[in-house]
Amino acid sequence: MAFTRGWTAPRRGVTADDVRRIARALPRTEEALVRDRVKFRIGRIVYLALSPDELTMGFAFPKEERAALIASDPDKFHPPVPSDERYNWVRAVLSQLDEEELTELVVDAWRMCVPKRVARDYLGR
């Protein structure tokens, strides 16, 4: 069996560091530690949160589309905890996401909370 020099196996899943890198790059985002959980917010509005073990993340997502997202891949997406069901929120297992999907979820969650002009200016780049 021949080995290819410089080849590395594709990475499976993303990490909390990937989440931080993507979220911190978004305008007006603040990172905060709230009750031992890392949260990303615009002002007082939280759009992204990591679980204490940093294996899952919760993110802003339209309530009316939540059931369809969860049904599309129940190993990857989970409903919010019962106390958060009234919010626009979904949870995802980081090890099941790839970088492209993570970026899309984080940016879409951010767009739900930031003023439209800010999102347009940032995404128009």
Side-chain angles (χ1 to χ4, degrees):
M1 176 192 230
F3 291 97
T4 304
R5 179 169 277 179
W7 181 85
T8 57
R11 193 172 100 193
R12 295 183 51 111
V14 295
T15 67
D17 288 338
D18 295 318
V19 173
R20 284 183 179 91
R21 178 179 42 76
I22 295 165
R24 287 176 181 164
L26 297 171
R28 298 195 182 184
T29 293
E30 299 173 8
E31 182 176 342
L33 189 61
V34 180
R35 295 188 199 115
D36 297 324
R37 292 184 63 166
V38 174
K39 297 188 178 200
F40 297 90
R41 60 189 183 190
I42 307 296
R44 296 184 59 155
I45 301 171
V46 174
Y47 71 89
L48 189 67
L50 293 169
S51 62
D53 62 8
E54 297 190 344
L55 298 177
T56 63
M57 75 170 186
F59 57 99
F61 193 83
K63 277 192 284 190
E64 52 280 350
E65 298 175 24
R66 179 167 50 204
L69 178 67
I70 294 165
S72 74
D73 195 336
D75 291 332
K76 185 184 297 186
F77 299 109
H78 301 277
V81 295
S83 62
D84 288 341
E85 286 179 346
R86 67 180 186 248
Y87 300 113
N88 291 314
W89 204 251
V90 175
R91 294 179 299 147
V93 178
L94 294 178
S95 65
Q96 298 292 315
L97 299 172
D98 63 31
E99 181 111 10
E100 183 178 335
E101 189 171 31
L102 174 66
T103 300
E104 182 179 343
L105 293 172
V106 171
V107 171
D108 286 350
W110 170 81
R111 284 178 55 200
M112 288 180 67
C113 301
V114 77
K116 287 182 169 90
R117 176 187 47 79
V118 173
R120 185 182 61 244
D121 289 350
Y122 178 78
L123 297 170
R125 298 189 291 144

